[in-house]
Amino acid sequence: MRDKKKNKKRSKAFWNNIKFKYKLTIINENTLEEVAGLRVSKLNGISVLLSLLTVLFLIAAVIITFTPLRNYLPGYMNSEIRAQVVENALRADSLRQLVERQNLYIMNIQDIFQGKIKADTVQSIDSLTNVREDSLMERTQREAEFRKQYEETEKYNLTTIAARPEVDGLIFYRPTRGMISSPFNAEQKHFGTDIAANPGESVLATLDGTVILSTYTAETGYLIEVQHNQDLVSVYKHCGSLLKKEGDTVKAGEAIALVGNTGQLSTGPHLHFELWHKGRAVNPELYIVF
């Protein structure tokens, strides 16, 4: 009983202290006359402070909600800004390719002036641009040894020839630019080719076709599948974002996604590319030069 009474007295004393009003008075120094007075308490001060904080919070919320500032907050970027970012990324990639071709063109013009390339061998601008990539790049000794070893190994390998389905008249586009980090290996249940690439690099459709699947899974992240002619299906996994949806018709070489690092099975920015023919996985390296 005594503890309850003490607690009541303490509570009553606390509220009395909070509600106790102080008088703020302004007095004329010459006449000692009271000019103005204000009676306030600690409770009034706390209420005014909370009201001021609430007003500031509401003003900040309205500014963020109804102005472009919300696009700088994670998860609040609207679809128009996202589409613009993707479009800018594609334009930057196209400009980079154009600059590379122009640099090659200028370098080969210099080679013509220096006599390294005969002018009568140049047929068009494209051929001049590709000269440095083809004829001017000498085959290294390591590459020559690898080619010789591979040719000797595959000379009498009939299984490789039989395992490659016939696809007449099809020109496969490289799905993205990068280096092969893990090749096709059906024995280890790795039914595709992993291509290490820069994040945000364009993922291109390898052939004309129709998107039959565009979704996200926990293991493979963002993935997209495209149905092609001659019973071919191409699969692109671990994408950073998807640019096409199910039912869209795509052209060969058209950007359908961006390289990313999504999914539990991904260990870094790369593209897992699969090629299926009549329900069976085939080695993409038999058709595409990565």
Side-chain angles (χ1 to χ4, degrees):
M1 292 294 291
R2 292 181 180 179
D3 292 338
K4 290 183 178 180
K5 289 182 179 181
K6 288 182 179 180
N7 291 334
K8 287 182 178 180
K9 288 182 179 180
R10 291 177 181 175
S11 178
K12 187 175 181 180
F14 173 77
W15 284 108
N16 289 335
N17 185 24
I18 291 293
K19 294 180 179 180
F20 184 81
K21 292 187 175 182
Y22 300 88
K23 184 177 181 181
L24 178 62
T25 305
I26 301 177
I27 300 176
N28 190 329
E29 184 178 0
N30 296 327
T31 62
L32 299 180
E33 180 180 359
E34 182 178 343
V35 178
L38 179 65
R39 297 176 61 86
V40 295
S41 64
K42 295 180 180 179
L43 183 61
N44 296 137
I46 295 174
S47 301
V48 171
L49 180 60
L50 292 177
S51 301
L52 181 61
L53 292 176
T54 302
V55 171
L56 293 176
F57 176 78
L58 292 176
I59 293 175
V62 169
I63 292 175
I64 292 175
T65 303
F66 297 100
T67 62
L69 288 176
R70 67 179 182 276
N71 295 320
Y72 293 96
L73 298 178
Y76 286 92
M77 184 179 296
N78 56 32
S79 58
E80 296 179 357
I81 300 297
R82 290 180 183 272
Q84 187 176 1
V85 170
V86 173
E87 183 179 358
N88 291 338
L90 295 177
R91 287 182 178 178
D93 182 70
S94 300
L95 289 175
R96 183 176 62 182
Q97 293 180 2
L98 179 60
V99 171
E100 291 177 355
R101 291 180 62 85
Q102 289 179 345
N103 289 336
L104 290 174
Y105 178 77
I106 293 173
M107 294 169 66
N108 289 315
I109 288 290
Q110 294 175 350
D111 290 340
I112 290 178
F113 289 148
Q114 295 174 2
K116 297 180 180 179
I117 300 177
K118 295 183 179 180
D120 55 0
T121 62
V122 178
Q123 299 178 355
S124 65
I125 294 178
D126 291 335
S127 65
L128 181 60
T129 304
N130 296 328
V131 165
R132 185 169 297 274
E133 295 180 340
D134 298 331
S135 61
L136 293 183
M137 293 181 62
E138 299 180 357
R139 181 181 300 179
T140 62
Q141 182 179 358
R142 182 178 180 183
E143 181 182 359
E145 293 177 356
F146 174 79
R147 285 176 178 268
K148 183 178 180 181
Q149 181 180 1
Y150 181 81
E151 290 173 358
E152 291 294 332
T153 303
E154 298 296 328
K155 183 181 296 184
Y156 305 105
N157 189 357
L158 300 180
T159 59
T160 302
I161 300 176
R164 174 173 177 168
E166 293 296 332
V167 285
D168 298 328
L170 297 181
I171 300 177
F172 293 80
Y173 272 75
R174 181 176 58 178
T176 191
R177 293 187 299 178
M179 299 180 60
I180 296 178
S181 58
S182 182
F184 177 91
N185 193 329
E187 296 180 358
Q188 297 181 2
K189 304 299 181 181
H190 190 255
F191 299 113
T193 301
D194 290 344
I195 307 170
N198 295 325
E201 186 74 27
S202 298
V203 176
L204 309 179
T206 189
L207 293 168
D208 295 347
T210 303
V211 178
I212 59 176
L213 182 62
S214 179
T215 185
Y216 179 89
T217 65
E219 293 183 352
T220 60
Y222 288 104
L223 69 92
I224 186 169
E225 296 183 5
V226 182
Q227 175 71 57
H228 311 288
N229 294 331
Q230 300 189 21
D231 298 321
L232 286 169
V233 176
S234 58
V235 184
Y236 314 79
K237 297 181 180 180
H238 305 300
C239 299
S241 60
L242 305 177
L243 306 181
K244 300 294 181 181
K245 59 181 182 298
E246 296 176 6
D248 287 348
T249 301
V250 297
K251 294 292 184 181
E254 183 179 359
I256 59 176
L258 298 178
V259 174
N261 183 25
T262 59
Q264 297 176 356
L265 300 180
S266 180
T267 57
H270 76 287
L271 173 67
H272 177 86
F273 175 75
E274 297 179 1
L275 192 62
W276 295 75
H277 181 258
K278 294 183 179 181
R280 299 184 63 181
V282 296
N283 187 358
E285 296 182 54
L286 298 177
Y287 306 94
I288 305 172
V289 179
F290 292 92

